[in-house]
Amino acid sequence: MSLVELVARADARGLAASGLACLDRCLPLLDGGDDVLRPLWAALAADTADTADTADTADTADTSGPDWAEELARVRAEVAGLGGPGGTDGDDEAVLLVRGMLSGAPDDRSVPALRAWADACSAAALRVHRLLDPAADPAGPAPLVAGELRRQTAVLELLAAHGPAGVRPALEASTEGRRVLRAVVSRRARGHDARL
């Protein structure tokens, strides 16, 4: 199943995890620590609200949890104080894309809002990886972009197959992607590649 189809069929939890995972993998661009988004992952894992299984009910479902909005506000405040790593311009397109992912996160976690956010985060994350990939090829997916696309697909598949139990492996997949991007950002900061 394609990424577009997975997003279209995902329930509220899957969409929230998809957007959050994209943001998590790109967080090194803001020089954020590995645990900055951990409270949001925890709120997502703890959410036991029913999610819709069909498109008709998915359009009206609201799985707002008591902790999501509060944790989101706290994370936004924390990230607002972060600058990009050394050598990264605060107006850098990739940095602005990552900040946009966080600012666009919906407080209420209604399915329509989450789907729009997940779509936006997917596109932004792929763009970030293309901007940072020294092997970027206009004719086809660059290695970093291909890896990000695989991880986005894996997260949605995990949540579709396992529901709440899929949150932890989705986080693990994102952690791997974050480490990859952190290494790229580190090389960029050191000035090893003018393209990064």
Side-chain angles (χ1 to χ4, degrees):
M1 193 179 299
S2 72
L3 180 61
V4 171
E5 291 172 318
L6 286 166
V7 171
R9 301 177 110 183
D11 63 12
R13 183 182 287 105
L15 293 167
S18 177
L20 186 56
C22 288
L23 174 59
D24 202 352
R25 288 189 295 274
C26 294
L27 204 61
L29 275 163
L30 302 183
D31 208 18
D34 290 345
D35 294 331
V36 171
L37 300 181
R38 187 73 63 162
L40 289 174
W41 282 108
L44 190 60
D47 178 15
T48 58
D50 291 336
T51 53
D53 293 325
T54 66
D56 290 341
T57 54
D59 286 340
T60 57
D62 185 340
T63 60
S64 299
D67 296 329
W68 174 267
E70 295 173 11
E71 294 297 349
L72 184 57
R74 187 195 62 76
V75 168
R76 282 175 174 153
E78 183 174 348
V79 170
L82 297 176
T88 301
D89 188 338
D91 292 329
D92 182 279
E93 180 183 353
V95 171
L96 294 176
L97 284 166
V98 180
R99 291 195 181 280
M101 285 188 229
L102 181 56
S103 65
D107 292 334
D108 63 3
R109 290 175 61 198
S110 65
V111 170
L114 285 170
R115 183 164 285 117
W117 183 54
D119 277 333
C121 286
S122 173
L126 290 169
R127 175 63 178 163
V128 165
H129 283 73
R130 178 166 290 279
L131 287 169
L132 296 178
D133 199 326
D137 179 2
L144 276 181
V145 177
E148 171 61 13
L149 188 58
R150 284 194 303 271
R151 290 183 184 97
Q152 289 189 21
T153 301
V155 166
L156 285 162
E157 288 176 340
L158 285 165
L159 270 293
H162 304 293
V167 173
R168 181 177 293 278
L171 173 57
E172 291 171 355
S174 288
T175 298
E176 177 193 2
R178 190 190 327 124
R179 287 172 182 156
V180 170
L181 199 65
R182 191 177 297 284
V184 173
V185 170
S186 179
R187 289 196 298 272
R188 182 191 198 205
R190 291 195 304 265
H192 285 179
D193 193 322
R195 174 67 178 87
L196 293 179

